Every structure is written in structure tokens, then in C-alpha cells.
Amino acid sequence: MQREEKQLEVTLQAILNRVNDLKTAIQALIAKLENEYETINWPTFLDNYAILSGHLTGLSKILQAEMAPSLRALVVLPLQLGCERDEALSRLTEGRVPACTHDLVPDLLRTKPEPQAEQRLQQFNHKASTLSYDTAQKQVAQFTKVVNHVWEIISKGREDWEGESMRSQGMQPTHSIGDTHALVTAVGTGKGLRPGMAALGGVGVGVGVGVGALGPRGAPGPPPPPGPQAPAMPKAPSAIKTNIKAANQIHPYQR
């Protein structure tokens, strides 16, 4: 019996320490939100929330330990009820509970939700159990669509906000996310590229070189400057047959 009482005392003290740490972390987070709501950023809030999660995890480990006695087998009952102020109770609860009254004790010792909340919960559970599979899938798909739409709006707003902040700081953006995605898609999958663009570019270069090689009135122009020359285009075979006669052939109507 003394061993069980000792284990219960150690467990309650560990639970009390963990609850005090959790209370301190919650107070620090609330104070930060109230006093630094204009300067606090999302990573800082997540760090503070991670501290709360760590305290809750530690409290769960204490309650699930094998050496800890089962608190479900214990019953907590008020020894005395009254409307007069109890200084010991007020000091123990840091002024939140000045007296153990008949109206306060049922809420403090409640192990089930209030009757109104329990009734609404039963209605929701009944409505969820009678919902068909197809209807549930349609609602899930609709909810997913709404979430994706909200996510796109938030992402676009974030990009606009970052662009405005960069412009306000005198830093012009040197890249475009849309152009980067389009370039990566074109290189990886060829999306947006039309076939034959390289051949057309080669013909344009060949024509430019040929025109530049002639001077005024068909006279040969100056030689091209030294440098890399454009590759010559292969001559396409003509479909028209020609018959070229020699120049020294006698004309039939020559006198």
C-alpha cells in the first residue's frame, strides 16, 4: 500500500511539473501574440507551438508509463462545499477558483460534455453515419477544390507581396517564375517548340550571306570579314528538267 502511494505521489508530482511547464509555454505564446502581433512571423510561431507539442508529448508519456498507477481507478471528490473564500484553494489555483461552490464543482469534475454539446455531437455522428459513399466522395472532392483554389490565391498573393517588397527596397526582380517553369518544360519535354524552327533559321542566315556578297548592279562586293562562316545549305534537287545547248551552235536563221 505504501509503495502504491509513493508511486502515485511521484506520478502526480511529475504530472504537475509538466503541466506547469505547459502553462508557462502557453502564457509565453499568448503574451507574444498580444505584444508582438505586428512583428511575429510564421516560423517563430511554429517554434513556440512546437514547444507546446513537446510538453504535451511528455505529459502523454508520463500517463502511459508502466510504473505510473492507473489514474482512472481513482475518484476525486470535494471534501467541503461552501460559498466562503478559501485562501488555500485560491493560492493553489492562482486566484482562478476562490471558493468551491455548488455551481463550480460540477464543471470542474465533469467527465462528459455538457448535455447540449453531447446532444449536438450525437446528431453530427448520426448524420455522418447515414452519409452515402458517393456523397462523401463528392464533398471531399469539392472541399479539395476549394482548398486548392485558396492555396493558389495565397501563393499568388505571396508572390505579389514579395515583388512589392523587393520594389520598395529598390531591388528589381531579376527572374520570373513563370518563364523559368516554361523554359524547364521546353528543355525537358519540348513543350511549346514548333518543328522546323532550326531549319528556317538556317535558311535565313544563308540568304543574308548571299545578298551581302553582291555589290551594286550585280558587281561582286567586298570579301566577307574573317570569322566563322554560316554553314552552306544543301541544294535541293529541282523537279524541272532543262536542256542547255552549247553557245557555239549555229543559229538556224543566221544569214
Side-chain angles (χ1 to χ4, degrees):
M1 188 67 181
Q2 295 180 355
R3 181 179 179 182
E4 294 180 357
E5 292 180 355
K6 186 66 176 179
Q7 290 181 355
L8 178 60
E9 183 179 356
V10 172
T11 302
L12 291 179
Q13 186 64 33
I15 293 174
L16 183 61
N17 294 335
R18 185 63 66 179
V19 169
N20 289 331
D21 295 339
L22 180 60
K23 182 182 64 175
T24 304
I26 293 175
Q27 291 176 352
L29 180 59
I30 293 176
K32 188 178 292 295
L33 292 176
E34 291 179 351
N35 301 325
E36 303 178 7
Y37 65 94
E38 294 182 353
T39 58
I40 189 173
N41 51 15
W42 184 245
T44 304
F45 179 80
L46 290 181
D47 293 340
N48 287 269
Y49 192 80
I51 296 175
L52 300 180
S53 179
H55 290 318
L56 290 175
T57 304
L59 183 60
S60 300
K61 290 182 179 180
I62 294 175
L63 296 176
Q64 296 175 1
E66 296 180 357
M67 298 300 296
S70 177
L71 299 180
R72 295 180 179 274
L74 302 178
V75 180
V76 180
L77 296 176
L79 299 179
Q80 185 179 1
L81 300 178
C83 298
E84 298 180 359
R85 182 181 178 86
D86 189 349
E87 296 297 336
L89 181 61
S90 178
R91 183 174 59 257
L92 183 63
T93 59
E94 298 180 355
R96 292 188 298 271
V97 183
C100 198
T101 61
H102 296 78
D103 297 334
L104 185 61
V105 169
D107 294 333
L108 294 178
L109 302 180
R110 185 184 300 277
T111 57
K112 296 178 63 178
E114 295 183 357
Q116 294 83 358
E118 188 175 3
Q119 183 179 2
R120 294 188 62 182
L121 181 62
Q122 291 178 357
Q123 293 177 359
F124 291 149
N125 291 334
H126 178 71
K127 184 178 180 180
S129 61
T130 57
L131 191 65
S132 63
Y133 179 78
D134 296 337
T135 305
Q137 291 297 323
K138 290 180 180 179
Q139 293 182 359
V140 170
Q142 185 177 4
F143 181 73
T144 304
K145 184 178 179 180
V146 172
V147 171
N148 292 333
H149 180 64
V150 173
W151 175 255
E152 292 178 358
I153 294 176
I154 294 175
S155 300
K156 185 177 180 181
R158 179 181 179 182
E159 293 178 0
D160 296 341
W161 178 74
E162 290 179 352
E164 292 178 358
S165 62
M166 292 177 64
R167 286 191 295 268
S168 63
Q169 295 176 1
M171 299 172 57
Q172 296 296 332
T174 58
H175 67 283
S176 173
I177 298 179
D179 294 343
T180 303
H181 290 333
L183 181 59
V184 172
T185 306
V187 173
T189 62
K191 183 179 179 180
L193 299 180
R194 292 179 297 176
M197 292 180 64
L200 292 176
V203 171
V205 172
V207 171
V209 172
V211 172
L214 296 178
R217 298 182 181 180
Q229 300 293 333
M233 290 296 298
K235 193 172 183 180
S238 177
I240 303 175
K241 294 183 179 181
T242 57
N243 186 10
I244 302 175
K245 297 182 179 181
N248 56 0
Q249 187 176 2
I250 301 174
H251 198 276
Y253 298 100
Q254 186 178 5
R255 293 180 182 179

